[in-house]
Amino acid sequence: MGYLLPTEWTSTFVPLQDKCPKSSIEDINRMLLDDTGCSISDLFSEFDEEPIGTASLAQVHRARLRRSGEEVAVKLQHPSLAEWVPLDLSLTRFALTNIKIFFPDYPMDWLSEEMELSLPVELDFEEEAKNIYRVRDHFKSIPNTALVVPKVIWAKKRILVLEYLRGYRIDDINSLDGAGISRDEVSAALAHIFNEMIFGKNAPLHCDPHHGNLAIRPNASRSHPNFDVILYDHGLYRDIPIETRRSYAKLWLAVLDGDESRMRIYASQVAGISKEQFPLFASAITGRDFVALKKSVSSSRSDAEREHIAAAMADGMLSQLVQLLANVPRIILLILKTNDLSKLRHYNMSVLALIS
């Protein structure tokens, strides 16, 4: 929630998306031998030693399969990760528990609980392969979507081989402009995809849609849109209960209608939000200052509004936000993570279809 949290917090964690320290090629080769009985040269006729991107859990290399000659992306877990994860989780639990004790206005022990639930799943790339099969199957029946998900070639617990798909990062504005790709259409396409995940019947929710996991690929075979949205990294998915989907949809319809009384009703239903918490929760889901939100969610965010949010954070709203996040249902936290303003700026008809 970069529109609410301080820049010092959010910018510090950006490198975790794709610019972390890389594992050595020697360690990677040793892991391949341990897990498959084959070396890099046995499996691949080409293998770029410099990774395309290195995140906190894994790094990705471009390669070419020796048997078929197909170009692939090879996702490799950092070999020492499994050894250190139990210690990391213990240290995180210890640190966040003590933060809660010494700084009771900043309860973040829920974060270690969420990590202990999510991390083992994200470390199993065979589970990620299952997620890929599921999301590809779901979106086959969704018309007019620009979504492209790499197909799985093969998977092991620490190794995932996918078809290689090139694209521009969604924040690479110069490349998008140079390719004649409309920023508004990219925003609308993202809205379509992620609204389907949030509101669609039995849709899987991708819980880590940051810039390092999204790319835009020009597609000359069609005109509107003239691009594909590539979604990488499918390690963490959750299912949203149908009643939560419906209440959340009704909440957003109330937001669009500017109906504060209905907004409060459905905020309470979906996340147990109290009367006092509501203005902050409304800002969290929309990325707007509550005063501006009451006027119109569709208007652009002004410099004055940004300054007002920053001033409110400095004046104590940050601790209120941390306390709010500590008390909402965990699935709502993951929806908020997916529910970035840029994805919902162009609200699509999937919500209305769900309600009707």
Side-chain angles (χ1 to χ4, degrees):
M1 292 184 291
Y3 44 82
L4 284 178
L5 294 172
T7 301
E8 292 82 359
W9 289 29
T10 56
S11 61
T12 299
F13 289 99
V14 166
L16 293 176
Q17 295 177 358
D18 59 2
K19 291 182 173 59
C20 291
K22 64 181 179 181
S23 297
S24 70
I25 195 67
E26 293 78 15
D27 286 344
I28 291 296
N29 195 48
R30 194 175 302 115
M31 184 178 73
L32 280 167
L33 282 167
D34 289 342
D35 291 11
T36 69
C38 299
S39 66
I40 290 175
S41 59
D42 292 332
L43 294 168
F44 309 105
S45 58
E46 298 175 17
F47 188 92
D48 293 350
E49 294 191 8
E50 187 64 29
I52 301 165
T54 306
S56 51
L57 302 185
Q59 60 193 49
V60 179
H61 294 257
R62 189 208 68 87
R64 193 171 297 278
L65 294 175
R66 182 166 293 282
R67 286 188 176 181
S68 66
E70 183 177 359
E71 190 176 27
V72 294
V74 186
K75 182 176 180 179
L76 299 154
Q77 193 174 121
H78 295 302
S80 61
L81 202 60
E83 175 185 350
W84 289 102
V85 159
L87 177 60
D88 287 343
L89 289 174
S90 295
L91 290 173
T92 301
R93 189 186 317 113
F94 175 80
L96 295 178
T97 298
N98 279 280
I99 287 174
K100 184 177 181 179
I101 293 171
F102 290 104
F103 304 96
D105 287 343
Y106 293 87
M108 292 192 287
D109 52 323
W110 57 269
L111 184 55
S112 64
E113 296 171 4
E114 181 60 33
M115 286 178 62
E116 289 173 10
L117 178 65
S118 301
L119 201 53
V121 177
E122 291 188 88
L123 291 176
D124 188 343
F125 292 173
E126 291 176 319
E127 289 300 316
E128 180 169 354
K130 293 176 184 177
N131 290 335
I132 292 173
Y133 292 133
R134 182 182 174 192
V135 74
R136 283 171 61 93
D137 184 64
H138 179 83
F139 275 88
K140 282 179 183 176
S141 61
I142 307 302
N144 303 319
T145 177
L147 179 65
V148 173
V149 176
K151 69 179 180 182
V152 176
I153 308 301
W154 56 267
K156 296 284 186 181
K157 186 165 185 175
R158 297 193 293 175
I159 306 162
L160 182 60
V161 181
L162 305 167
E163 68 172 321
Y164 186 75
L165 299 178
R166 293 179 176 85
Y168 307 123
R169 275 179 61 114
I170 61 171
D171 55 358
D172 185 356
I173 301 301
N174 291 334
S175 294
L176 295 179
D177 290 347
I181 294 173
S182 164
R183 301 178 195 181
D184 285 343
E185 286 196 2
V186 168
S187 182
L190 290 170
H192 187 189
I193 292 165
F194 288 101
N195 281 337
E196 172 59 30
M197 289 186 175
I198 293 172
F199 301 109
K201 184 177 180 181
N202 298 322
L205 177 69
H206 188 290
C207 297
D208 203 15
H210 59 67
H211 288 174
N213 287 342
L214 288 160
I216 305 300
R217 179 180 67 175
N219 186 341
S221 66
R222 60 171 182 247
S223 56
H224 295 292
N226 62 341
F227 58 85
D228 298 318
V229 176
I230 305 170
L231 183 58
Y232 305 119
D233 195 340
H234 300 265
L236 186 59
Y237 274 80
R238 292 288 171 82
D239 291 300
I240 306 173
I242 185 61
E243 289 306 318
T244 300
R245 289 189 198 268
R246 288 172 176 162
S247 294
Y248 193 66
K250 291 174 182 177
L251 171 62
W252 264 102
L253 287 172
V255 169
L256 292 174
D257 291 339
D259 189 330
E260 184 179 338
S261 61
R262 282 171 49 224
M263 288 167 61
R264 290 179 179 273
I265 290 171
Y266 295 119
S268 176
Q269 285 186 12
V270 81
I273 300 301
S274 68
K275 178 181 178 181
E276 294 74 23
Q277 293 172 322
F278 175 74
L280 182 58
F281 180 73
S283 293
I285 67 168
T286 62
R288 304 301 305 272
D289 178 70
F290 185 61
V291 175
L293 175 62
K294 290 198 292 185
K295 295 177 182 178
S296 175
V297 73
S298 61
S299 62
S300 298
R301 201 163 55 229
S302 66
D303 290 339
E305 184 180 346
R306 293 188 183 93
E307 290 172 5
H308 185 265
I309 290 177
M313 282 295 174
D315 197 35
M317 193 167 79
L318 179 58
S319 64
Q320 296 175 37
L321 177 62
V322 174
Q323 292 175 49
L324 173 67
L325 296 178
N327 291 302
V328 301
R330 295 294 167 260
I331 190 64
I332 298 301
L333 289 177
L334 295 171
I335 291 175
L336 289 175
K337 191 176 178 182
T338 305
N339 180 25
D340 182 82
L341 179 64
S342 66
K343 300 177 186 71
L344 289 177
R345 187 178 295 120
H346 296 274
Y347 208 76
N348 65 59
M349 297 301 291
S350 60
V351 181
L352 299 179
L354 176 64
I355 298 301
S356 62

